[in-house]
Amino acid sequence: ELGVSLFKRKGRNIVLTKYGKLFLNDVEPIITHLDDSIKDIKEIAQGKETLNIGFVRRLGMSYIPQIISSFKNENISFQCQTGFSYDLIHSLKEHNLDIVFCSYVQDQEIDFIPIVKQEFYVIVSLHHPLSIYDEIELKEIENYPFIAFTKNSGIRPMIDHILEKKSVKPSIKMEIDEDEVVGGFVGHDLGTAIVPDMAVYDLLPIKKIKIKDLEEQQIFYMAYLKEKEKSKAFNQFVRYVLNKNESYQ
């Protein structure tokens, strides 16, 4: 089939020809890689695997480290990626991620399981007129500049829903994508903001104010493809996360 001889007889032995040696040099790495791939697949079947997980940054400060540190399985390692919910879902559908922890995104191909709830607060600088209050009506923020999250942030639709439900139309002066940056700008008295309860805000010169009569909460989900074949390691980790969040079951 190749058009040249790969072997020749030398006495009683069969040896490689010049072309046989050239062919061997080319196929040896392929055979070695094939052997490694077979070994990797067998290990995955036995539960030894690196899971690729993605999560929004606000979960990477506490929730995800706690889950991974308490999940004691020496056969399973993790490769982590942070990003916005929409970007993480895209990576999930491209099969670049196995599991994503994010806000809800409407998609019929993905299972979303609630795992974390966070209350919403208004934050203001320590010198802001509203800083003397521990609780306010949301309508009171209309009189001051407002800092919103960018539209590609998973939390933006939820905050927009809250504002619409309360018939509040804030004066948006800027849009920012990072939680810490929102807090930093608020701390410098550049506006008020509505944010989920996060430990990072306790480190900044701001005041967290409860919102009266607000039932809505920020909910984060564990998400994965419905039709994807689930490995042993995948199932073990998902079951562990679900067991840690039995209150949602």
Side-chain angles (χ1 to χ4, degrees):
E1 292 183 6
L2 298 176
V4 294
S5 297
L6 300 181
F7 303 95
K8 67 180 180 180
R9 184 176 295 279
K10 188 174 183 180
R12 295 183 177 182
N13 300 320
I14 300 295
V15 298
L16 291 170
T17 65
K18 168 186 174 182
Y19 305 110
K21 291 178 181 179
L22 180 64
F23 184 72
L24 179 62
N25 288 336
D26 288 340
V27 300
E28 263 188 330
I30 298 174
I31 294 173
T32 299
H33 184 69
L34 178 62
D35 289 340
D36 290 340
S37 297
I38 292 172
K39 179 183 176 183
D40 290 342
I41 295 300
K42 287 182 177 179
E43 288 181 346
I44 289 173
Q46 295 169 0
K48 187 173 183 179
E49 184 180 356
T50 296
L51 293 176
N52 297 308
I53 66 172
F55 46 88
V56 293
R57 287 192 61 185
R58 60 178 59 96
L59 291 182
M61 297 178 185
S62 179
Y63 178 79
I64 296 298
Q66 288 177 359
I67 285 290
I68 290 178
S69 64
S70 62
F71 178 68
K72 301 185 184 303
N73 188 324
E74 61 184 18
N75 289 323
I76 300 176
S77 57
F78 297 90
Q79 183 167 324
C80 300
Q81 174 183 327
T82 60
F84 294 115
S85 295
Y86 290 102
D87 296 332
L88 294 172
I89 291 299
H90 176 74
S91 292
L92 183 68
K93 296 180 72 171
E94 290 293 315
H95 300 279
N96 295 321
L97 293 172
D98 299 306
I99 303 169
V100 163
F101 297 85
C102 62
S103 299
Y104 183 79
V105 177
Q106 183 67 38
D107 195 306
Q108 296 299 319
E109 299 178 21
I110 298 173
D111 275 328
F112 286 89
I113 303 170
I115 46 104
V116 175
K117 288 182 180 180
Q118 291 179 333
E119 291 186 32
F120 283 102
Y121 288 84
V122 168
I123 57 173
V124 299
S125 75
L126 297 178
H127 307 292
H128 194 278
L130 294 177
S131 65
I132 62 173
Y133 302 104
D134 295 322
E135 188 176 29
I136 61 171
E137 297 282 354
L138 197 55
K139 196 78 173 173
E140 295 183 57
I141 69 172
E142 283 188 326
N143 300 321
Y144 305 98
F146 185 75
I147 299 174
F149 286 92
T150 53
K151 291 181 173 62
N152 63 337
S153 171
I155 197 174
R156 175 66 180 266
M158 187 63 186
I159 294 176
D160 286 348
H161 169 74
I162 291 171
L163 293 169
E164 182 178 358
K165 184 177 179 180
K166 295 290 186 179
S167 300
V168 175
K169 297 180 180 179
S171 175
I172 298 176
K173 295 302 181 184
M174 64 186 74
E175 297 183 354
I176 299 174
D177 54 10
E178 295 288 349
D179 302 282
E180 302 97 318
V181 180
V182 170
F185 274 57
V186 169
H188 283 81
D189 211 16
L190 293 171
T192 65
I194 299 173
V195 299
D197 189 16
M198 293 176 57
V200 65
Y201 296 126
D202 296 328
L203 305 176
L204 299 172
I206 60 177
K207 172 72 176 289
K208 289 195 304 185
I209 306 172
K210 289 182 67 69
I211 303 171
K212 291 181 180 179
D213 302 322
L214 182 65
E215 297 178 357
E216 284 81 3
Q217 293 180 313
Q218 167 75 359
I219 301 178
F220 292 106
Y221 298 80
M222 176 171 63
Y224 48 81
L225 291 171
K226 292 179 179 179
E227 302 300 326
K228 178 182 177 179
E229 184 176 357
K230 300 352 185 244
S231 67
K232 183 177 180 180
F234 177 99
N235 288 328
Q236 287 177 335
F237 182 65
V238 167
R239 280 198 303 270
Y240 179 77
V241 174
L242 294 179
N243 288 337
K244 294 285 284 185
N245 294 276
E246 289 181 349
S247 59
Y248 284 100
Q249 306 306 306

